[in-house]
Amino acid sequence: MHELVRQLFPICRSITGDGVRQTLAILGAYLPELQVHEVPTGTPVLDWHVPREWNIRDGYIKNERGERVVDFRYHNLHVLGYSVPVHGWFTLEEMKPHLHSLPEQPTLIPYRTSYYTETWGFCLSQHQLSALKEPRYEVCIDSSLTEGALTYGELLLPGELAEEVLISCHICHPSLANDNLSAVAVAVFLARHLAQGGHRYSYRFVFAPGTIGAITWLSKNAEAVARIRHGLVLSLLGREGAFTYKKSRRATADVDRALALALREAAVPHHIIDFIPYGYDERQYCSPGFNLPVGCLSRTPYAQFPEYHTSADNLDLVRPGVLADSLLLVQEALAVLDANRRYQNRCPYGEPALGRRGLYGSVGGVAAQPNGQLALLWVLNLSDGQHSLLDIAERAGLPFAQIQRAVQVLIAHDLLDVLPN
Amino acid sequence: MHELVRQLFPICRSITGDGVRQTLAILGAYLPELQVHEVPTGTPVLDWHVPREWNIRDGYIKNERGERVVDFRYHNLHVLGYSVPVHGWFTLEEMKPHLHSLPEQPTLIPYRTSYYTETWGFCLSQHQLSALKEPRYEVCIDSSLTEGALTYGELLLPGELAEEVLISCHICHPSLANDNLSAVAVAVFLARHLAQGGHRYSYRFVFAPGTIGAITWLSKNAEAVARIRHGLVLSLLGREGAFTYKKSRRATADVDRALALALREAAVPHHIIDFIPYGYDERQYCSPGFNLPVGCLSRTPYAQFPEYHTSADNLDLVRPGVLADSLLLVQEALAVLDANRRYQNRCPYGEPALGRRGLYGSVGGVAAQPNGQLALLWVLNLSDGQHSLLDIAERAGLPFAQIQRAVQVLIAHDLLDVLPN
Amino acid sequence: MHELVRQLFPICRSITGDGVRQTLAILGAYLPELQVHEVPTGTPVLDWHVPREWNIRDGYIKNERGERVVDFRYHNLHVLGYSVPVHGWFTLEEMKPHLHSLPEQPTLIPYRTSYYTETWGFCLSQHQLSALKEPRYEVCIDSSLTEGALTYGELLLPGELAEEVLISCHICHPSLANDNLSAVAVAVFLARHLAQGGHRYSYRFVFAPGTIGAITWLSKNAEAVARIRHGLVLSLLGREGAFTYKKSRRATADVDRALALALREAAVPHHIIDFIPYGYDERQYCSPGFNLPVGCLSRTPYAQFPEYHTSADNLDLVRPGVLADSLLLVQEALAVLDANRRYQNRCPYGEPALGRRGLYGSVGGVAAQPNGQLALLWVLNLSDGQHSLLDIAERAGLPFAQIQRAVQVLIAHDLLDVLPN
């Protein structure tokens, strides 16, 4: 995963443009079935329209000696995202409203965009800004804002069921590693894992620019939307820090409970927070008209770590081990959702005679019973058609995997029927 | 308000009689639309009958030298409320069962009544009682208990809606300032404030003697009762001390939530307590047949402050600033109820494009978003026809006023429809 | 009760056999109406079959000198329950897999059984085991495992209602005093108490071997099962230690609330724990097909006290005072259930005029009202047909007995109607 992050890092992405296309081309090398969609500028999507496409070739501020004192080629954060083209000589005073820095983090370049107000600008470190002392500078942004398209990637991994689990992550940020190449990499490797098969649900991956990308996808996929049963937005999964799971608007959806269970069972530091209508694309999936059961998994959330939206969100910030732990956690939570069925105890009156079936210690020492015994009894007791395995695991306080093993044993002994989905 | 309390203080009120009439006459000077009702003695009201009317002209205990050692003209608490007439000489022993004092507060005169058992009595300080050492005294209570009427005042301030908010306070106590002239004054000034208009609900004020007055009003106003949507009993609002809001029997009525919100937002010390079938006239409004959503707002509750039902509940105990704070709190809570509507997001699928409408910071720095932005998003997200503004304010944890401002902005941009009441 | 425990203690009980018959014969001396049922070996009962009947006459391990080094006549725990007959000479090595001891409690004999796997064995103290140093021993278990019957006792105490309260306790353990002769004794004396009459529900007592006994009873009593409204499994009630009430699978059944109330009112140390599908015969009563409202009352639960399932669970462990307290607690909880009716306030609009009926202090000093007054008001306020006396006692926070007295007073004044069950 870290190697993928490294490949993607140098690309200058935005909500449209060739940076997104290059990114999806690289993902396609990992996911041959990935489909790339282009939606033309001006297409109405829900309450929005697909914006003009932005591309950039170069950008700099030169002093009178012709030296680049701010240079897009050095770091693509230097140009304000969606800057319109500009070329000319500006006095320092004229330039200042177009310069963005972080006085409290004077060595870092901030990340800024202006998607919906036409302007241009540069982002630079406070040290760079302070060093600008000459009377005038040559400013150039060689960008274009033209009719074009919005590009997103989509991958469907069919399962036994037509019902879908949605995995979505934003791909619109330029050279920021944790935000959100980390989650893109986790999603790619999750897809490769799931592509090996063995899952009940169909899994749909959406790699799209934030906000407008999710809105575009929602707008054009009414039938897929209707099939979504669970969903996760993935973001910021490569930097060390406690997991943060933000619940869906529904608050008690299965995905909310499965993430809570997986985090608890993983015994890792984590926070579970309530839904708020701010954040990543769960804002769109959880808008009241859709109200999809989609939560958001991060590690330390946006704006809460010092490297957030700065040039310090670089390849060093993202750790291979952290990416691996993140992937594992997502896999475990999805495994819970995938296995979360309801069963019917075929011997609901009294306990079935487990001893006769070899499912009971024959010399009765109650205290020494392992939890395996207890798991059998919990599954039998709650498999009344009302309770899912998540219900049972939560109520029993036993690991989900142990409940699953009990189910296997009981099915093998004809004591359980699986119920329709 | 303190001036009104001062005007009302000297009057000897009871559950019937001229003291009530004089009180309502003074209130009428502040509230020209106040209607005074007289309900004749013997009228059946729910399970009760209107009692005989009690009036008193004088009352005293004289020693053999003709000196008044206890004198109604000095303090109207000296005569047990509803005392039947008596005149004669009594030995100290004969008199003692008729004398009420507070041994633990030896300088204070207690307040006592005997509405439903015919007797007579005097209330006096323990010091006065201890000083009674002579063998016999002349006792005189010049009162009358006759066919007459029960008197109460009522004021309706029509709003856009026929549905009503009830404000009720007891007016049956003689010279006690906090209990309940404080709340009477707050109610009068609240009515004057609401009379300026601009409210959706109609507001009904009932100034009535405790218990029998509320029962009489309930008995004679079935149609108004059916229109009550929210209600508050006001009591004990002039003495310093934390607010106490006692919830309605329904416990989760809008009035209960609005008072909790207003108290929380006012950031004042307060207690919210569960309904119990004891207290003021919320007992009648919350009787199971009516079960009205009526709570009770006090500061330190009855029997929990040392001056309660004694001559120390005087004009000094009630503070102008405290009255003003009480009025403000009630106004804020009622403003919440009045504004508490449900709206429908007209763009429920995805977020509407706020940037296009100038409702979004154009240079995207997520962390710096003020709560105003968040308020817009919360209102949009929860305006699904199910959630009221109270629901939204509670869930968002944002000030109600900020939620209201967001509603105004969104309506101005055609993003919200108001739903029928 | 302790005398009954003493009578029952020496008998070698198991899940079938003459020990159970002798036990029930002794109980019959206390409960003349007790019915003893015999269900033949092989009878299908739910998912099980009644097992062969086990009886034992003698059992020993002799050394070469003919001395009994382990002797069933000394303690009936010495023979593994349901041991098949054996007689012969065994080397120590051959014998060892058949010997059970407690290395960490080296002076105690453990209690072990093997109901559903045919084997034989001895239980002995670790000291006894360590002393076995000779090369070979004579082993003899003079038992029989034959076609016969399973025996259980049943007692029905009819009340006004056909609906039943079930009291069940296991009687299958040999010489263990707390487990479960303590609870058997409490049940017997509870039955004698209830036999005096005055109860609304019918009460059914089941004295049966654990698991298979309850399963047999459930299998053969479908009609009685349908009449069970509340139930308690009694166990481990003679040893000192905090009460433990384990809730029924329903978790909020009246029996769960009544036990919680009785324990709270008794002001004794106690724990209330959630249902788990392990324990005593609540496992069967709370299996999903039956899902009866049956909880389990113990003191320190199984496996949580050091004497559990050892020879230290003897007559000294069980204290007369503890038995008496246990009986009292059960009686109080059942009295709550028996009295837990719903009433209808006949004056639901406003408070009824209590003063006119002599139900109110005539000189109105609010603060001094005793809770008796408050109990009247709570019963009136909540007797709307929706709330039971348990609801009222819980919400009022007043003793159940006080609520009951208020009901009596209000009925005597024609203010309440009792509602059909």
Side-chain angles (χ1 to χ4, degrees):
Chain A
M1 287 183 279
H2 200 268
E3 171 55 29
L4 173 53
V5 172
R6 187 174 298 273
Q7 278 180 271
L8 296 170
F9 187 75
I11 300 170
C12 183
R13 278 165 296 272
S14 183
I15 55 173
T16 59
D18 291 332
V20 177
R21 290 187 189 95
Q22 293 160 28
T23 297
L24 292 172
I26 292 172
L27 302 193
Y30 287 78
L31 304 170
E33 308 291 324
L34 183 73
Q35 291 192 310
V36 176
H37 298 270
E38 300 273 351
V39 183
T41 294
T43 305
V45 287
L46 302 179
D47 186 55
W48 305 56
H49 291 82
V50 170
R52 283 181 293 166
E53 179 175 329
W54 185 67
N55 285 288
I56 179 166
R57 284 157 295 280
D58 197 3
Y60 57 80
I61 300 174
K62 285 185 185 169
N63 59 22
E64 297 205 331
R65 292 178 302 284
E67 296 163 344
R68 293 188 171 212
V69 295
V70 178
D71 186 357
F72 173 76
R73 295 176 314 193
Y74 172 73
H75 206 304
N76 59 38
L77 290 184
H78 273 317
V79 173
L80 176 80
Y82 258 63
S83 279
V84 295
V86 62
H87 193 182
W89 286 87
F90 290 79
T91 66
L92 189 53
E93 277 316 292
E94 286 167 340
M95 212 166 58
K96 277 226 169 140
H98 296 272
L99 303 182
H100 307 281
S101 68
L102 295 167
E104 303 195 357
Q105 296 175 298
T107 64
L108 304 184
I109 311 164
Y111 165 54
R112 292 283 187 278
T113 65
S114 182
Y115 298 134
Y116 300 108
T117 303
E118 286 196 11
T119 186
W120 60 267
F122 286 88
C123 300
L124 66 173
S125 73
Q126 184 64 24
H127 288 332
Q128 282 177 298
L129 180 59
S130 307
L132 298 180
K133 296 187 189 303
E134 303 187 19
R136 58 178 218 148
Y137 291 90
E138 183 191 355
V139 165
C140 175
I141 297 179
D142 179 13
S143 67
S144 59
L145 197 55
T146 60
E147 301 295 303
L150 177 146
T151 313
Y152 67 84
E154 191 176 16
L155 174 69
L156 180 67
L157 300 172
E160 295 171 28
L161 301 174
E163 284 85 353
E164 298 185 6
V165 178
L166 173 71
I167 306 295
S168 175
C169 48
H170 64 279
I171 56 162
C172 51
H173 286 22
S175 296
L176 298 170
N178 191 39
D179 183 4
N180 195 32
L181 300 177
S182 65
V184 169
V186 167
V188 166
F189 280 76
L190 174 66
R192 286 160 64 99
H193 167 76
L194 289 167
Q196 299 164 24
H199 45 88
R200 288 174 58 242
Y201 284 105
S202 297
Y203 286 78
R204 185 178 298 271
F205 289 76
V206 174
F207 299 94
T211 305
I212 188 66
I215 282 169
T216 300
W217 183 81
L218 282 163
S219 174
K220 301 184 76 67
N221 290 279
E223 289 187 14
V225 167
R227 288 193 296 268
I228 294 175
R229 292 294 169 275
H230 319 286
L232 270 183
V233 169
L234 300 181
S235 58
L236 311 175
L237 291 170
R239 180 186 178 278
E240 280 192 352
F243 281 106
T244 298
Y245 177 68
K246 172 182 167 183
K247 290 190 278 189
S248 77
R249 183 180 186 267
R250 299 186 182 189
T252 57
D254 282 353
V255 68
D256 301 318
R257 298 166 57 202
L259 265 289
L261 187 84
L263 286 164
R264 195 166 57 241
E265 294 195 358
V268 289
H270 65 275
H271 307 286
I272 293 176
I273 62 175
D274 286 332
F275 177 77
I276 66 163
Y278 207 83
Y280 292 108
D281 285 329
E282 68 278 8
R283 293 161 66 164
Q284 311 308 327
Y285 302 125
C286 297
S287 57
F290 294 114
N291 194 25
L292 294 173
V294 175
C296 177
L297 184 71
S298 306
R299 283 176 173 265
T300 309
Y302 63 86
Q304 294 184 22
F305 55 96
E307 304 89 353
Y308 177 73
H309 275 196
T310 74
S311 51
D313 183 356
N314 59 29
L315 288 170
D316 292 339
L317 190 67
V318 169
R319 304 286 180 84
V322 174
L323 290 167
D325 288 350
S326 296
L327 174 60
L328 196 61
L329 192 280
V330 176
Q331 285 174 350
E332 286 173 352
L334 295 180
V336 168
L337 285 170
D338 214 72
N340 185 33
R341 308 201 64 168
R342 289 173 301 115
Y343 296 84
Q344 177 65 51
N345 177 345
R346 298 178 74 171
C347 276
Y349 294 97
E351 288 174 13
L354 296 179
R356 191 179 75 216
R357 296 174 173 88
L359 299 178
Y360 219 88
S362 61
V363 175
V366 167
Q369 295 299 338
N371 283 341
Q373 188 74 57
L374 199 51
L376 290 177
L377 293 174
W378 271 116
V379 172
L380 287 167
N381 192 274
L382 292 180
S383 287
D384 55 4
Q386 307 300 313
H387 296 90
S388 70
L389 296 195
L390 246 176
D391 294 325
I392 298 174
E394 286 178 350
R395 178 126 172 223
L398 293 176
F400 191 84
Q402 194 164 36
I403 296 295
Q404 281 184 286
R405 281 196 296 275
V407 167
Q408 297 314 318
V409 167
L410 292 169
I411 284 177
H413 285 82
D414 291 326
L415 283 168
L416 281 190
D417 286 325
V418 66
L419 291 171
N421 213 41
Chain B
M1 285 184 279
H2 199 269
E3 172 55 28
L4 174 53
V5 172
R6 187 174 299 273
Q7 277 181 269
L8 296 170
F9 187 74
I11 301 169
C12 182
R13 279 165 293 273
S14 184
I15 55 172
T16 60
D18 290 332
V20 177
R21 291 188 188 94
Q22 293 160 27
T23 297
L24 292 172
I26 291 171
L27 301 193
Y30 286 78
L31 303 170
E33 308 291 324
L34 184 73
Q35 291 192 309
V36 177
H37 299 270
E38 301 272 352
V39 182
T41 295
T43 304
V45 285
L46 302 178
D47 186 57
W48 304 57
H49 292 82
V50 171
R52 282 182 294 167
E53 179 176 330
W54 186 68
N55 284 289
I56 178 164
R57 286 157 294 280
D58 197 3
Y60 57 80
I61 300 173
K62 284 187 185 166
N63 61 21
E64 296 205 332
R65 292 179 303 285
E67 295 163 344
R68 292 188 172 213
V69 296
V70 178
D71 186 357
F72 172 75
R73 295 177 313 194
Y74 172 74
H75 205 304
N76 58 37
L77 290 184
H78 273 317
V79 173
L80 177 79
Y82 259 63
S83 279
V84 295
V86 61
H87 194 183
W89 286 88
F90 290 77
T91 66
L92 189 52
E93 276 316 293
E94 287 165 341
M95 212 165 57
K96 280 230 170 135
H98 296 271
L99 302 182
H100 306 282
S101 69
L102 295 166
E104 302 195 358
Q105 295 174 297
T107 66
L108 304 183
I109 312 165
Y111 165 54
R112 293 282 187 277
T113 64
S114 182
Y115 298 135
Y116 301 106
T117 304
E118 285 197 11
T119 185
W120 59 267
F122 287 88
C123 300
L124 66 172
S125 74
Q126 184 65 23
H127 287 333
Q128 282 178 297
L129 181 60
S130 305
L132 297 181
K133 297 191 186 303
E134 303 189 18
R136 59 177 217 148
Y137 290 90
E138 182 190 354
V139 165
C140 175
I141 296 179
D142 178 11
S143 67
S144 60
L145 199 52
T146 60
E147 302 294 305
L150 176 145
T151 312
Y152 68 83
E154 191 177 16
L155 175 67
L156 180 66
L157 300 173
E160 296 171 29
L161 302 174
E163 285 84 353
E164 299 186 4
V165 178
L166 174 72
I167 306 295
S168 175
C169 48
H170 65 279
I171 56 162
C172 51
H173 286 22
S175 295
L176 298 170
N178 190 40
D179 184 3
N180 194 31
L181 300 177
S182 64
V184 169
V186 167
V188 166
F189 279 76
L190 174 66
R192 286 161 63 100
H193 167 76
L194 289 167
Q196 298 165 23
H199 45 86
R200 290 172 57 240
Y201 284 106
S202 297
Y203 287 79
R204 185 178 297 271
F205 290 77
V206 174
F207 299 95
T211 305
I212 187 65
I215 282 168
T216 300
W217 182 82
L218 282 164
S219 174
K220 301 184 76 67
N221 290 278
E223 289 186 13
V225 167
R227 286 193 297 267
I228 295 174
R229 291 295 169 275
H230 318 286
L232 271 183
V233 169
L234 300 181
S235 58
L236 312 176
L237 291 171
R239 180 185 179 279
E240 281 193 349
F243 281 106
T244 299
Y245 176 68
K246 171 183 165 182
K247 290 190 277 189
S248 77
R249 182 180 187 268
R250 297 186 183 188
T252 57
D254 282 353
V255 68
D256 301 317
R257 296 167 56 202
L259 265 289
L261 187 83
L263 287 163
R264 194 165 60 239
E265 293 195 359
V268 290
H270 65 273
H271 306 286
I272 294 176
I273 62 175
D274 286 332
F275 176 77
I276 67 164
Y278 206 83
Y280 292 109
D281 285 329
E282 69 278 8
R283 292 162 66 166
Q284 310 309 326
Y285 302 124
C286 297
S287 58
F290 294 114
N291 194 27
L292 295 173
V294 175
C296 177
L297 184 71
S298 307
R299 282 175 174 268
T300 309
Y302 64 85
Q304 294 185 23
F305 54 96
E307 304 88 355
Y308 176 73
H309 275 197
T310 74
S311 51
D313 182 356
N314 59 29
L315 289 169
D316 292 338
L317 190 67
V318 169
R319 303 286 180 84
V322 174
L323 290 168
D325 288 349
S326 296
L327 174 59
L328 195 61
L329 190 281
V330 176
Q331 285 174 352
E332 286 173 351
L334 295 181
V336 168
L337 286 170
D338 215 71
N340 185 33
R341 306 201 65 168
R342 289 173 301 115
Y343 296 84
Q344 177 65 50
N345 177 346
R346 296 177 74 172
C347 276
Y349 293 97
E351 287 176 13
L354 296 179
R356 192 178 76 217
R357 295 173 173 88
L359 299 177
Y360 218 88
S362 60
V363 176
V366 167
Q369 296 298 336
N371 283 341
Q373 189 73 58
L374 199 53
L376 290 177
L377 293 174
W378 271 115
V379 171
L380 287 167
N381 192 272
L382 292 180
S383 286
D384 55 3
Q386 308 299 314
H387 296 90
S388 71
L389 296 195
L390 246 175
D391 293 326
I392 298 174
E394 287 178 350
R395 178 127 170 221
L398 293 176
F400 192 84
Q402 193 164 38
I403 297 294
Q404 281 184 285
R405 281 195 297 276
V407 167
Q408 296 314 318
V409 167
L410 292 169
I411 285 176
H413 284 83
D414 291 327
L415 284 168
L416 281 189
D417 286 325
V418 66
L419 292 171
N421 213 39
Chain C
M1 286 184 279
H2 200 269
E3 170 54 29
L4 173 55
V5 172
R6 186 174 299 274
Q7 277 182 270
L8 296 170
F9 187 76
I11 300 169
C12 183
R13 279 165 293 273
S14 185
I15 55 173
T16 59
D18 290 332
V20 177
R21 292 190 188 93
Q22 292 159 27
T23 296
L24 292 172
I26 291 171
L27 301 193
Y30 287 78
L31 303 171
E33 308 292 321
L34 183 74
Q35 292 191 309
V36 176
H37 299 269
E38 301 272 352
V39 182
T41 295
T43 305
V45 286
L46 303 177
D47 185 57
W48 305 56
H49 292 82
V50 171
R52 284 181 293 168
E53 180 176 327
W54 185 67
N55 284 288
I56 179 167
R57 285 156 296 279
D58 197 3
Y60 57 80
I61 300 173
K62 284 187 185 167
N63 61 20
E64 296 205 331
R65 294 179 302 284
E67 296 162 344
R68 290 187 173 216
V69 295
V70 177
D71 186 357
F72 172 76
R73 295 177 314 193
Y74 172 74
H75 205 304
N76 57 38
L77 291 184
H78 273 317
V79 172
L80 176 80
Y82 258 64
S83 279
V84 296
V86 61
H87 194 181
W89 286 86
F90 290 78
T91 66
L92 189 52
E93 276 315 293
E94 287 167 340
M95 210 165 60
K96 278 227 168 139
H98 295 272
L99 302 183
H100 307 282
S101 68
L102 295 167
E104 302 195 357
Q105 295 175 298
T107 66
L108 304 184
I109 311 165
Y111 165 54
R112 292 281 186 279
T113 64
S114 182
Y115 298 135
Y116 301 107
T117 304
E118 284 197 12
T119 185
W120 59 268
F122 286 87
C123 300
L124 66 172
S125 73
Q126 183 66 25
H127 287 332
Q128 282 178 297
L129 181 60
S130 307
L132 298 181
K133 299 191 188 300
E134 303 189 18
R136 58 179 218 146
Y137 290 91
E138 183 191 354
V139 165
C140 176
I141 296 178
D142 179 13
S143 67
S144 59
L145 196 53
T146 59
E147 301 294 304
L150 177 147
T151 313
Y152 68 84
E154 192 176 16
L155 175 68
L156 180 67
L157 300 173
E160 295 170 29
L161 301 174
E163 284 85 352
E164 299 186 6
V165 177
L166 173 72
I167 305 295
S168 174
C169 48
H170 64 278
I171 57 162
C172 51
H173 286 23
S175 295
L176 297 170
N178 190 40
D179 182 5
N180 193 31
L181 299 179
S182 64
V184 169
V186 167
V188 166
F189 281 76
L190 174 66
R192 287 162 61 100
H193 167 74
L194 289 167
Q196 298 165 24
H199 45 87
R200 290 174 56 242
Y201 284 105
S202 296
Y203 286 78
R204 185 177 297 270
F205 290 77
V206 173
F207 300 95
T211 305
I212 188 66
I215 282 168
T216 299
W217 182 82
L218 282 163
S219 173
K220 301 185 76 67
N221 290 278
E223 289 186 14
V225 166
R227 287 194 297 268
I228 295 174
R229 292 295 169 274
H230 317 286
L232 270 183
V233 168
L234 300 181
S235 58
L236 312 174
L237 290 171
R239 181 185 178 278
E240 280 193 350
F243 281 107
T244 298
Y245 176 68
K246 171 182 166 182
K247 290 191 278 191
S248 77
R249 182 179 186 270
R250 298 186 183 189
T252 58
D254 281 353
V255 67
D256 301 318
R257 297 167 55 202
L259 265 290
L261 188 84
L263 287 163
R264 195 165 58 240
E265 293 195 359
V268 288
H270 64 275
H271 307 286
I272 295 177
I273 61 175
D274 287 330
F275 176 77
I276 66 164
Y278 206 83
Y280 292 107
D281 285 329
E282 68 278 7
R283 293 164 64 164
Q284 311 309 326
Y285 301 125
C286 296
S287 58
F290 294 114
N291 194 25
L292 294 173
V294 175
C296 177
L297 184 72
S298 306
R299 284 173 173 269
T300 308
Y302 63 85
Q304 294 184 23
F305 55 96
E307 303 89 354
Y308 176 74
H309 275 195
T310 73
S311 51
D313 182 354
N314 59 28
L315 288 169
D316 292 338
L317 189 68
V318 168
R319 303 287 180 82
V322 174
L323 290 168
D325 288 349
S326 297
L327 175 59
L328 196 59
L329 191 282
V330 175
Q331 285 173 351
E332 287 174 352
L334 295 180
V336 168
L337 285 170
D338 214 72
N340 185 34
R341 306 202 64 167
R342 289 174 301 116
Y343 295 84
Q344 177 65 51
N345 177 347
R346 296 178 73 172
C347 277
Y349 293 97
E351 287 175 13
L354 297 178
R356 192 178 76 217
R357 295 173 173 89
L359 299 177
Y360 218 87
S362 62
V363 176
V366 167
Q369 296 298 338
N371 282 340
Q373 189 72 58
L374 198 53
L376 289 177
L377 294 175
W378 271 115
V379 172
L380 286 167
N381 192 272
L382 291 180
S383 288
D384 54 4
Q386 307 300 313
H387 296 90
S388 70
L389 295 195
L390 245 175
D391 294 325
I392 298 174
E394 286 177 349
R395 179 127 169 221
L398 293 176
F400 192 84
Q402 193 164 36
I403 297 294
Q404 281 184 286
R405 281 195 296 275
V407 167
Q408 297 313 319
V409 167
L410 293 169
I411 284 176
H413 285 83
D414 292 326
L415 284 168
L416 281 189
D417 285 325
V418 66
L419 291 170
N421 213 39

